[in-house]
């Protein structure tokens, strides 16, 4: 693990090694980075830069369309919370909204049985090239993420394949995020401060703007490092690790330049009970159903879901406040 960057850098190339000791070495470095920071850069021979660039070009073409065209696939029309998200749809606080638009792609579950609020067929635009390119990227990063689940299992003292049984139909979401050029964005945040709800996130951004809250409660700019992805711990991994890893708050600061960002949020299966898995430790967290937590947090942010709650069409059970995990900002109660 290299320390000469703002964040630790872990080379994950050896996660595909047939030698257990080499996979363990990566797991130990990942463990150290997640315990100390919760945010890190990852680099690896398994990453395919051509798919990254193809996704950027695909997103550029899609978001260049007029608003009416994009709204034909508005996320509120979908069955499993997928599709186009216009500026202002997401609101972490009632009086603010994010200066971004996105296209959200969930696990494209085609079976008719065992559907859940986030597990069903993805809403796709009428564009075969868009679907093919996005699915190629999704599958590639999903494969990398499953290698990392193996590393986390080793780091937490579990059997290497521990998580495999709980990743059969996981509602892991890919977001294609576009921050438009906005010369008047001096006093606005791209995304407000938050933790991610899932186990961990793998992020590919095209420009700076990301800020991370350090252990001193200060916001730190995260520069881009060539040929890396950014990884961070989410709420569910904080619970699974019994607090050894902390879900780190982050935000996107005001940006003038056009920016694209592609996070894939890795979760376990919807009905998997998230609880500490560390052996011989008293649990510090109560169990929660992973999918239920993910949907509850989502429903507290998206306007179309809030409206369903207001109309009595949707009732959230066991919902936790949005700021239930992660470190507090300086001066924050």
């Amino acid at each position: 693990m290299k320390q000469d960057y703002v964040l630790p850098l872990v080379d994950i190339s050896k996660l595909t090694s047939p030698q257990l000791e080499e996979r363990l070495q990566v797991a130990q470095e990942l463990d150290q980075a997640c315990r100390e920071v919760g945010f890190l850069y990852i680099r690896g021979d398994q990453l395919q830069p051509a798919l990254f660039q193809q996704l950027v070009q695909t997103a550029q073409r899609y978001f260049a369309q007029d608003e009416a065209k994009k709204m034909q696939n508005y996320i509120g029309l979908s069955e499993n919370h997928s599709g186009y998200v216009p500026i202002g749809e997401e609101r972490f606080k009632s009086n603010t909204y994010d200066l971004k638009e996105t296209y959200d792609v969930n696990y494209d579950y085609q079976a008719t049985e065992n559907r859940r609020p986030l597990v069903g067929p993805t809403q796709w635009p009428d564009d075969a090239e868009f679907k093919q390119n996005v699915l190629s990227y999704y599958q590639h990063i999903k494969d990398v993420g499953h290698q990392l689940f193996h590393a986390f299992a080793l780091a937490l003292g579990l059997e290497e394949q521990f998580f495999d049984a709980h990743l059969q139909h996981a509602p892991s979401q890919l977001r294609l995020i576009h921050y438009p050029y906005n010369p008047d964005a001096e006093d606005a945040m791209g995304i407000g401060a938050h933790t991610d709800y899932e186990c961990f996130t793998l992020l590919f951004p095209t420009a700076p703007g990301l800020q991370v809250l350090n252990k001193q409660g200060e916001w730190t700019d995260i520069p881009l490092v060539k040929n890396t992805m950014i990884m961070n711990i989410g709420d569910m991994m904080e619970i699974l690790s019994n607090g050894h890893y902390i879900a780190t708050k982050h935000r996107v600061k005001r940006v003038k330049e056009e920016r694209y960002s592609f996070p894939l949020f890795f979760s376990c299966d919807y009905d998997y009970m998230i609880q500490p898995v560390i052996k011989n430790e008293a649990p510090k967290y109560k169990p929660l159903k992973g999918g239920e937590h993910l949907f509850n947090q989502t429903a507290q942010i998206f306007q179309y879901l809030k409206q369903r709650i207001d109309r009595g069409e949707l009732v959230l059970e066991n919902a936790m406040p949005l700021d239930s995990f992660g470190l507090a900002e300086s001066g924050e109660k």
Side-chain angles (χ1 to χ4, degrees):
M1 182 174 65
K2 294 185 178 181
Q3 297 284 358
D4 51 345
Y5 297 99
V6 172
L7 300 176
L9 188 152
V10 174
D11 190 322
I12 64 169
S13 299
K14 292 181 180 179
L15 287 182
T16 61
S17 169
Q19 303 299 321
L20 175 60
E21 59 268 25
E22 293 189 335
R23 302 196 301 275
L24 277 168
Q25 179 185 350
V26 179
Q28 291 166 358
E29 293 183 1
L30 179 67
D31 179 73
Q32 181 181 347
C34 292
R35 287 173 184 265
E36 294 178 355
V37 184
F39 254 84
L40 60 148
Y41 299 107
I42 63 168
R43 172 181 290 154
D45 295 338
Q46 57 269 71
L47 297 180
Q48 298 179 27
L51 289 179
F52 288 55
Q53 295 309 313
Q54 180 176 266
L55 188 66
V56 173
Q57 294 166 6
T58 300
Q60 288 172 334
R61 289 194 299 270
Y62 176 80
F63 289 115
Q65 299 176 109
D66 63 61
E67 189 76 3
K69 177 69 172 178
K70 290 180 287 189
M71 285 297 288
Q72 291 178 5
N73 296 107
Y74 173 56
I75 195 166
L77 303 174
S78 70
E79 180 179 329
N80 79 328
H81 188 68
S82 60
Y84 177 66
V85 181
I87 292 175
E89 174 69 24
E90 294 176 80
R91 302 192 183 192
F92 286 91
K93 298 180 180 179
S94 59
N95 59 340
T96 63
Y97 59 86
D98 294 345
L99 298 175
K100 70 179 191 300
E101 58 180 343
T102 83
Y103 201 96
D104 291 356
V105 176
N106 282 344
Y107 172 69
D108 199 1
Y109 183 73
Q110 295 293 326
T112 55
E113 68 276 3
N114 298 320
R115 289 189 177 179
R116 299 289 187 272
L118 300 172
V119 182
T122 292
Q123 177 182 201
W124 294 102
D126 185 18
D127 183 338
E129 184 179 7
F130 178 95
K131 181 178 180 179
Q132 178 181 345
N133 292 347
V134 172
L135 279 178
S136 295
Y137 183 87
Y138 185 101
Q139 188 60 53
H140 170 51
I141 302 303
K142 178 183 173 183
D143 291 345
V144 174
H146 283 197
Q147 294 171 24
L148 287 162
F149 268 115
H150 288 168
F152 275 118
L154 291 173
L156 296 173
L158 307 169
E159 292 292 329
E160 190 171 7
Q161 284 74 37
F162 174 85
F163 289 107
D164 287 2
H166 311 300
L167 299 172
Q168 300 304 301
H169 304 296
S172 298
Q173 183 186 69
L174 170 65
R175 309 200 77 190
L176 283 63
I177 306 177
H178 175 224
Y179 301 86
Y181 172 71
N182 185 354
D184 301 319
E186 282 294 333
D187 298 315
M189 297 306 303
I191 298 182
H194 64 287
T195 60
D196 292 343
Y197 319 132
E198 299 83 355
C199 294
F200 59 90
T201 304
L202 294 181
L203 169 68
F204 167 53
T206 64
L210 178 66
Q211 292 185 316
V212 170
L213 189 68
N214 64 25
K215 290 186 176 181
Q216 291 70 47
E218 302 166 338
W219 289 103
T220 303
D221 291 321
I222 305 303
L224 301 189
V225 175
K226 188 175 181 180
N227 296 324
T228 69
M229 297 189 77
I230 296 171
M231 177 179 179
N232 66 276
I233 294 300
D235 298 351
M236 296 182 194
M237 189 59 75
E238 180 175 327
I239 297 172
L240 289 165
S241 71
N242 206 26
H244 289 285
Y245 308 150
I246 299 297
T248 309
K249 280 189 177 179
H250 51 286
R251 67 187 187 186
V252 176
K253 68 178 182 180
R254 62 182 72 97
V255 291
K256 290 186 177 182
E257 64 184 305
E258 185 175 36
R259 181 177 184 268
Y260 294 87
S261 181
F262 306 99
L264 205 162
F265 304 94
F266 285 88
S267 61
C268 295
D269 289 336
Y270 194 94
D271 294 320
Y272 178 59
M273 194 63 67
I274 303 294
Q275 56 191 326
V277 296
I278 304 291
K279 299 175 182 177
N280 303 318
E281 275 192 8
K284 300 176 183 177
Y285 298 81
K286 295 180 179 179
L288 58 79
K289 187 182 292 184
E292 182 180 74
H293 173 65
L294 178 55
F295 183 71
N296 286 345
Q297 301 300 85
T298 301
Q300 294 179 69
I301 293 172
F302 280 78
Q303 296 306 297
Y304 87 94
L305 291 172
K306 289 181 181 179
Q307 291 166 8
R308 291 181 186 176
I309 294 172
D310 292 341
R311 293 194 298 264
E313 301 170 3
L314 178 64
V315 178
L316 303 185
E317 297 181 2
N318 307 312
M320 301 175 68
L322 293 173
D323 58 353
S324 297
F325 294 85
L327 297 170
E329 188 175 352
S330 292
E332 186 176 294
K333 299 287 187 173

Short mmCIF file of all heavy atoms in Angstrom, two decimals, residues 62 212 221 240 322:
data_model
loop_
_atom_site.label_atom_id
_atom_site.label_comp_id
_atom_site.label_asym_id
_atom_site.label_seq_id
_atom_site.Cartn_x
_atom_site.Cartn_y
_atom_site.Cartn_z
N TYR A 62 -25.66 10.57 -24.26
CA TYR A 62 -26.99 10.49 -23.65
C TYR A 62 -27.41 11.84 -23.06
O TYR A 62 -28.51 12.33 -23.32
CB TYR A 62 -27.03 9.41 -22.56
CG TYR A 62 -28.37 9.41 -21.86
CD1 TYR A 62 -29.46 8.79 -22.44
CD2 TYR A 62 -28.56 10.09 -20.66
CE1 TYR A 62 -30.71 8.83 -21.85
CE2 TYR A 62 -29.80 10.14 -20.05
CZ TYR A 62 -30.88 9.51 -20.65
OH TYR A 62 -32.12 9.57 -20.07
N VAL A 212 -13.58 14.57 1.02
CA VAL A 212 -13.77 13.54 2.03
C VAL A 212 -13.58 14.16 3.41
O VAL A 212 -12.69 15.00 3.61
CB VAL A 212 -12.77 12.38 1.82
CG1 VAL A 212 -12.79 11.42 2.99
CG2 VAL A 212 -13.11 11.64 0.53
N ASP A 221 -9.79 17.80 -0.20
CA ASP A 221 -9.95 17.59 -1.64
C ASP A 221 -9.26 16.30 -2.07
O ASP A 221 -8.12 16.02 -1.65
CB ASP A 221 -9.34 18.76 -2.42
CG ASP A 221 -10.13 20.05 -2.25
OD1 ASP A 221 -11.37 19.97 -2.22
OD2 ASP A 221 -9.51 21.12 -2.15
N LEU A 240 -20.98 -4.70 9.14
CA LEU A 240 -20.37 -6.02 8.99
C LEU A 240 -19.02 -6.12 9.71
O LEU A 240 -18.69 -7.15 10.29
CB LEU A 240 -20.18 -6.34 7.50
CG LEU A 240 -21.46 -6.61 6.69
CD1 LEU A 240 -21.18 -6.54 5.20
CD2 LEU A 240 -22.06 -7.97 7.06
N LEU A 322 -30.79 9.79 7.72
CA LEU A 322 -29.77 9.73 6.68
C LEU A 322 -28.35 9.86 7.22
O LEU A 322 -27.41 9.41 6.59
CB LEU A 322 -30.03 10.84 5.64
CG LEU A 322 -31.30 10.66 4.81
CD1 LEU A 322 -31.53 11.89 3.94
CD2 LEU A 322 -31.21 9.42 3.93
#
